[in-house]
Amino acid sequence: MRGLTISAHGGLDRLEVRDDLPVPELRARTDVRVRIHAAAINHLDLFVVEGLPGITITPPWIVGSDGAGVVDAIGAEARGVAVGDHVIINPGIGCGSCEYCLADEEPLCPRFNVLGEHRPGTIADYAVVPARKLRTIPAAIPWETAAAFPLATLTAWRMIVSRAQVTPRDTVLIWGIGGGTALAALQIAKAHGATVWVTSSSDEKLARAAALGADHGFNHATLDVAREVRQRTAKRGVDVVVDNVGEATWQRSLLALGRRGRLVTCGGTSGPMVQTDVRRLFWNQWTIMGSTMGSQAEFNAISAELRAGRLLPPIDSVFALADGRAAYERLASGAQFGKVVIRLADA
Ligand SMILES: [Zn+2]
C-alpha cells in the first residue's frame, strides 16, 4: 500500500511517499482496519517529523493522526462498526485499564498513544485502530471535512466546554485564528453563546473569522492586543484566553485576562517556556489550565455535532498523497486558514 513516511527525524525533506508498505493486519480482536479516504495534518505531525523526546520510530514510519475512511475489516470482538461504514478516527488511544481510562479520561493515561506518534499513522491507504476509537458518520459528509474534523475539534471541545466551561456570559480571546484548533475553538465558543475575540497577523484571516462568527478581531502584528482588550472592556479584561502559541503570546494573554479569568492551553507553537508573575496569578485569582485531546464522552459529543452538520471545519487546502510534503510545508508556513488535508482514495 501507499503511505507518507519518515525513516529518520529532521526537516520536512525527510518525508517520503512509499508504495511498498504492507497492508496492516489487525493486531487485536477488538481492532478494525480502515481504508483511509482522507487524512489531515496538525502541528503535532510537524513535531513528529522533527522528533519528540522519548518517542522512537520504526522505519519506514507512517505519519499522520487524523483520518476518515471506510471500515475494511473488523476483529471478532470489534463492536459498534460494520464493514462498509464511513468512520472518523479518534487518534488518542489509552491503555483501557488504568484509573484514568476507567474514568473515561484517556488523555491522562500514562500509556496514552497517538496515531502517527506512537502507533502507525493515518496518511496511508489503510490504518488499524481499536473499534472504540471509531464513530460512524453519514456517507454524505465529504471525506475532506470528515478527516479535518476529529483532532482539532476534540481538542478545542475539551478546552472550551470541559476545561474552561465557557458560557454566554464569557468573553473569550483566541490567539492565532487560522489554525485548526483555534478555528474549532471559535466555532464551539460561539455555539455556547460566548462573545469571541480573535487575533491574527493577517487582516484577511480576521475577515474570514468574522464570517465564521468572531465578534471582533485584533491584528496582533500591528496592535497591542492586551491594551486593546483592556480598552474595549473598560480595563476589566476577558474571562477566557485560549493560548496555543506559548512563549510569543503568554505575557499578553495574562495582561488581557480579567479577574477570575481562565487561561487554557493545548500547546505552544512558538516555544514552550513561559513566565507567570505569581503575584498577579493569586491576586487576580486566575486559573491556568492545560488540556489535551479528549475523552470518549467528548468524542461522542463532537461526533454528534458532525452528524448534525455543525462545527464543520474550514478546509484550507487539499493535497494528493504524492504532494504530502507540500501539505506539511503549507502547515509549517502558518499561512493556512483551516485544515490542510491529504487525499488518499479517490472515491
Ligand atoms: Zn490507561
Side-chain angles (χ1 to χ4, degrees), residues 28-51:
R29 294 166 67 82
T30 48
D31 275 349
V32 172
R33 186 167 62 204
V34 179
R35 171 85 167 99
I36 301 291
H37 282 246
I41 52 178
N42 297 277
H43 254 277
L44 170 67
D45 298 305
L46 299 178
F47 295 138
V48 168
V49 176
E50 285 173 21

Side-chain angles (χ1 to χ4, degrees), residues 94-102 106 108-112:
C95 72
S97 57
C98 73
E99 63 170 301
Y100 304 105
C101 287
L102 292 176
E106 271 184 281
L108 295 169
C109 176
R111 285 184 280 160
F112 193 59

Side-chain angles (χ1 to χ4, degrees), residues 4-317:
L4 187 63
T5 68
I6 52 172
S7 291
H9 293 298
L12 297 182
D13 57 345
R14 302 284 189 182
L15 288 163
E16 182 189 13
V17 178
R18 299 188 51 145
D19 59 7
D20 59 348
L21 303 168
V23 173
E25 301 294 333
L26 303 182
R27 302 195 302 186
R29 294 166 67 82
T30 48
D31 275 349
V32 172
R33 186 167 62 204
V34 179
R35 171 85 167 99
I36 301 291
H37 282 246
I41 52 178
N42 297 277
H43 254 277
L44 170 67
D45 298 305
L46 299 178
F47 295 138
V48 168
V49 176
E50 285 173 21
L52 286 163
I55 307 267
T56 51
I57 57 162
T58 318
W61 184 254
I62 299 167
V63 295
S65 301
D66 264 331
V70 175
V71 173
D72 167 74
I74 60 173
E77 292 170 23
R79 299 283 175 264
V81 291
V83 170
D85 281 350
H86 289 214
V87 291
I88 54 172
I89 301 169
N90 175 354
I93 302 167
C95 72
S97 57
C98 73
E99 63 170 301
Y100 304 105
C101 287
L102 292 176
D104 189 22
E105 284 292 348
E106 271 184 281
L108 295 169
C109 176
R111 285 184 280 160
F112 193 59
N113 279 205
V114 180
L115 295 179
E117 189 179 342
H118 315 84
R119 294 176 177 231
T122 53
I123 308 176
D125 287 322
Y126 296 92
V128 169
V129 289
R132 65 193 169 83
K133 294 284 132 185
L134 302 176
R135 293 293 178 276
T136 57
I137 57 169
I141 294 177
W143 288 119
E144 289 85 356
T145 300
F149 184 78
L151 184 47
T153 313
L154 183 63
T155 302
W157 186 275
R158 186 172 178 88
M159 285 201 297
I160 296 293
V161 179
S162 308
R163 300 289 278 141
Q165 299 184 7
V166 166
T167 75
R169 292 188 302 278
D170 289 322
T171 297
V172 179
L173 175 68
I174 302 173
W175 284 98
I177 206 70
T181 306
L183 283 166
L186 162 61
Q187 292 171 290
I188 294 164
K190 286 309 298 178
H192 284 75
T195 299
V196 182
W197 297 348
V198 299
T199 89
S200 172
S201 59
S202 154
D203 288 334
E204 190 206 333
K205 288 188 186 182
L206 293 175
R208 294 176 74 177
L212 287 171
D215 296 283
H216 190 70
F218 303 99
N219 187 318
H220 61 235
T222 56
L223 290 176
D224 179 339
V225 171
R227 201 171 125 199
E228 295 286 323
V229 163
R230 300 201 82 79
Q231 270 180 6
R232 291 184 70 87
T233 57
K235 297 188 180 173
R236 179 186 178 276
V238 296
D239 304 287
V240 175
V241 177
V242 177
D243 184 338
N244 300 324
V245 183
E247 279 182 13
T249 52
W250 194 262
Q251 296 290 344
R252 287 177 283 167
S253 288
L254 295 179
L255 286 169
L257 197 58
R259 287 163 189 264
R260 212 165 50 189
R262 296 97 83 196
L263 188 158
V264 61
T265 180
C266 70
T269 52
S270 68
M273 303 309 290
V274 297
Q275 280 195 323
T276 303
D277 182 336
V278 72
R279 296 165 299 185
R280 302 193 66 234
L281 172 62
F282 75 73
W283 188 253
N284 292 302
Q285 306 199 35
W286 288 331
T287 304
I288 294 176
M289 52 185 94
S291 190
T292 197
M293 313 288 283
S295 67
Q296 292 283 79
E298 288 155 348
F299 191 46
N300 287 339
I302 67 159
S303 299
E305 294 291 314
L306 179 62
R307 282 193 288 270
R310 294 189 293 261
L311 302 183
L312 302 181
I315 308 288
D316 172 76
S317 45

